Amino acid sequence: IQDDYLLSDRPIKESLFRVILMNSNNPITIEDIHETLSTKWALAPYPRDISIKLLKSLIDNAEEYGITLYKN
């Protein structure tokens, strides 16, 4: 993956979508998405709220990306 694939200045919803694509479009937990973004953005010049609560809210409102919560 290129260094600029998950830049911290991208919209969070787009970054969330990119993390899913990095996982080959397989089911991924919100916790794993959170960990990926937290790790990638740890040293970002402008801290951003990427809490699990926010990520869940974004997924709940991500129809344009075709993202839905996976229910077992």
Side-chain angles (χ1 to χ4, degrees):
I1 295 194
Q2 296 177 356
D3 288 341
D4 64 348
Y5 190 73
L6 285 176
L7 294 176
S8 62
D9 63 348
R10 292 193 196 283
I12 295 174
K13 196 180 289 187
E14 180 180 338
S15 296
L16 183 135
F17 183 69
R18 287 172 176 246
V19 171
I20 293 169
L21 291 179
M22 286 172 39
N23 198 47
S24 301
N25 205 29
N26 291 313
I28 185 171
T29 65
I30 291 176
E31 292 80 11
D32 287 340
I33 294 169
H34 177 262
E35 181 178 336
T36 299
L37 291 176
S38 294
T39 300
K40 240 355 211 175
W41 294 356
L43 301 176
Y46 305 104
R48 301 179 70 184
D49 175 16
I50 51 170
S51 65
I52 291 175
K53 181 179 178 180
L54 174 75
L55 293 175
K56 182 174 180 335
S57 175
L58 289 172
I59 290 170
D60 289 344
N61 296 291
E63 296 85 17
E64 71 272 21
Y65 285 96
I67 299 171
T68 58
L69 286 176
Y70 177 74
K71 306 230 191 247
N72 225 351

